[in-house]
Each structure stands twice: as structure tokens, then as C-alpha cells.
Amino acid sequence: MRRILSIGEAMVELSGAGQPDLWRAGIAGDTLNTAWYLRRLLGADWQVGYLTRVGTGPFSERAVGFMAAEGLDVTHIARDPAREIGLYAITLADGERSFSYWRDSSAARRLADDPAVLARALEGCALAYLSGITLAILPPEGRGHLIDALAVARAQGTQVVFDPNLRPRLWADADTMRRVVQEAAGQADLVLPSFDDEATHFGDADARATLDRYLALGAGHVVVKNGGGPIAWDGRHGAGGIDDLRPEAAVDTTAAGDSFNAGYLASWLARPDCGAAVRAGHALSRQVIRHPGALVRAALPA
């Protein structure tokens, strides 16, 4: 069985339940969202695991139980006796979401403290997936451990996939964010940036500038997402673009990029065709944003 390991932070998600002052609690998080969709899109010959750190309280128990029940491998979820799982709330305005976070002392901030734990988890993985948020929540030493472990795994045959997912509020400063994200992207086989973020935080004039910057850093292949607009790619699997993607009026854009990544990867792993993978990612993302919340069963193929 081939293994995928997604690395990051699982959190309690509070989202609107359609009534004032009533909130619905779930479990989500950017890399967890992608892992959840991948588990449903891939066949039984793939194992999808999640690496994180949680506490020992009831919300942490709920998170681990949820992931296990959803078919994710929870072998590499560590327990922290002194910290707990983080929480975020989604506020919507015309389909666009904003977030409030309670995660400063989250157990997941210590997920990369032990290099030996990372090495064991990554050993034999076909694909490792992480995001800029994964790196943002870690202390500098943990970031170094994780980037080093991924470099070793990549040298041993693991494909590293990285979504920059730029969230400046999670970083000490913008310069640190840009430096660490570019370091990680330069060591990845596939980078999946979102153009609006790249334009805002790196000053990219167009998708071509984003492609060129990440390729120059050493990324193997880059696919630039564009909020339902034209999508471009370039790298070791060839260059191209698609400009006829059908837009969708959003009810909730939460997990739009996370689900695109899952749709892209599932299609690519079945058949390495960039155009087909982009269309698969876009089709899933379109369905996800028609519903509230991050994990949308109704968006998946019957």
C-alpha cells in the first residue's frame, strides 16, 4: 500500500449553523482538509495519514476519533499532556470568509520537536504534503527539523508537495514568512500557490512571475491557482494553462484551495496529466464552495 502523509494542525472549527448565535463545531485545518478529500478520492491501495500533535482533553480525543473514523491513519498523531488542540471560527460575508483563531498555545506547535519522530513518519512515504501554515505555527527549531526531514525523505524517493498558503498573521513578520516559504518551496517537487496571495505578499505581476520565481528557487513543478480564473503551470512536467474554467458563486470559500489540491493530486496520481489534474481540482473546489464549512461530503462523487 502506498502512503501519503499530510503534516499540519487539526483544529476545532466553529462555523455558522444558519441561525443567529448558533455555531456548529467540526474538526478541520488546511492540511487536514486536503488529507480528508484525498482519502475519499483515492482507492484502497493508498493510505492517507496525518501527522500532528494534540492534547489529551475531550476536544483532542474528538479530533483523533474523527480522523480515525474518516479512514485516516492516526499512527503519527502525538499527545501533549500540557497543551490542547487549537480552535478557529469562520465568519462569512457574501461567501468570503474571515477567521478568528485561538491557537497560540496549540499542541500542534510542537509537532516537529523530535527529528526522530519525523524521520519514522516519513520513512517509505510516496508523497508528503504540507503548507505554509504548517511552517508558520512552528518555532524556528521545529521548522528546521521539518524542512531537514523532508529533504532526507525526498532524497529517498518521497515526493514533497507544498502549498505556500500565505497567512501573515501567523508569522512574526512578513520577511520571515517570505524567507521560510521560499526555502520550503525550493525543496518541493510540486508547489501549489494561489496567485492573489503571491501578488499581495511577493508583488508578482502575473502568474508567469509566480511560476518563474518558484522555479528559480528550485521547485520541481508549479501550478498557480487563481480563484476560479485561468490556471497556469510550468516545470518538469511541462508548461501550459487553462482559461475556460467555469466559475461558481460561493456560499463559503473555506477549503477552496485545500480541496483543489486534493482533486489535483488524486487525478495526477491516477494519471500524470497536468490539464486533467487542474480540471479535477477545479471541479471539486467548485462543489465545495457551494456549501458551508471545510469538509463537504455532498461535494464528493457519488
Side-chain angles (χ1 to χ4, degrees):
M1 182 178 291
R2 291 172 290 178
R3 290 199 302 124
I4 293 173
L5 186 69
S6 188
I7 305 167
E9 182 176 25
M11 304 179 73
V12 175
E13 176 196 76
L14 297 181
S15 57
Q19 300 179 44
D21 301 320
L22 183 63
W23 294 81
R24 178 175 54 207
I27 305 296
D30 69 326
T31 56
L32 175 58
N33 301 339
T34 299
W36 188 87
Y37 285 108
L38 274 172
R39 175 61 282 155
R40 269 143 193 81
L41 294 170
L42 293 173
D45 56 340
W46 283 97
Q47 179 190 77
V48 181
Y50 199 65
L51 187 153
T52 191
R53 189 176 179 94
V54 300
T56 58
F59 283 106
S60 291
E61 292 291 342
R62 175 176 175 174
V64 175
F66 169 79
M67 287 185 269
E70 295 296 311
L72 295 174
D73 174 29
V74 297
T75 303
H76 302 294
I77 299 180
R79 300 297 188 128
D80 191 315
R83 292 170 173 254
E84 265 304 327
I85 192 171
L87 178 148
Y88 71 96
I90 301 170
T91 303
L92 288 174
D94 299 323
E96 288 299 324
R97 81 277 197 220
S98 60
F99 300 96
S100 300
Y101 292 103
W102 295 265
R103 74 197 310 179
D104 288 348
S105 59
S106 157
R109 290 183 177 272
R110 319 307 305 188
L111 68 83
D113 280 6
D114 189 339
V117 168
L118 297 174
R120 285 195 298 271
L122 287 164
E123 185 177 5
C125 280
L127 187 150
Y129 176 80
L130 76 158
S131 75
I133 293 177
T134 306
L135 297 172
I137 67 169
L138 300 178
E141 185 177 24
R143 285 179 205 144
H145 290 162
L146 180 54
I147 290 173
D148 288 348
L150 289 166
V152 171
R154 189 183 184 202
Q156 296 172 347
T158 299
Q159 298 290 298
V160 176
V161 179
F162 178 62
D163 181 343
N165 219 348
L166 301 170
R167 298 293 182 267
R169 288 173 56 192
L170 299 178
W171 294 88
D173 56 73
D175 286 342
T176 300
M177 176 183 73
R178 287 188 284 263
R179 175 180 57 78
V180 174
V181 162
Q182 292 194 123
E183 179 184 359
Q187 299 183 42
D189 296 283
L190 172 63
V191 181
L192 294 161
S194 295
F195 176 68
D196 55 349
D197 287 346
E198 304 298 320
T200 299
H201 300 296
F202 285 99
D204 293 348
D206 51 30
R208 185 68 253 173
T210 302
L211 291 168
D212 289 343
R213 180 167 50 81
Y214 281 122
L215 290 171
L217 289 166
H221 194 77
V222 185
V223 178
V224 182
K225 295 171 287 187
N226 196 17
I231 292 179
W233 62 86
D234 200 355
R236 65 179 57 154
H237 303 300
I242 292 177
D243 61 5
D244 63 349
L245 297 171
R246 181 180 173 187
E248 182 70 44
V251 171
D252 180 357
T253 56
T254 304
D258 307 332
S259 57
F260 176 96
N261 294 350
Y264 181 96
L265 289 171
S267 176
W268 177 264
L269 291 170
R271 179 169 66 96
D273 179 316
C274 289
V278 164
R279 291 190 185 279
H282 177 71
L284 179 58
S285 182
R286 280 188 65 234
Q287 294 303 311
V288 168
I289 66 174
R290 294 174 60 191
H291 304 272
L295 306 181
V296 181
R297 297 180 195 279
L300 294 160

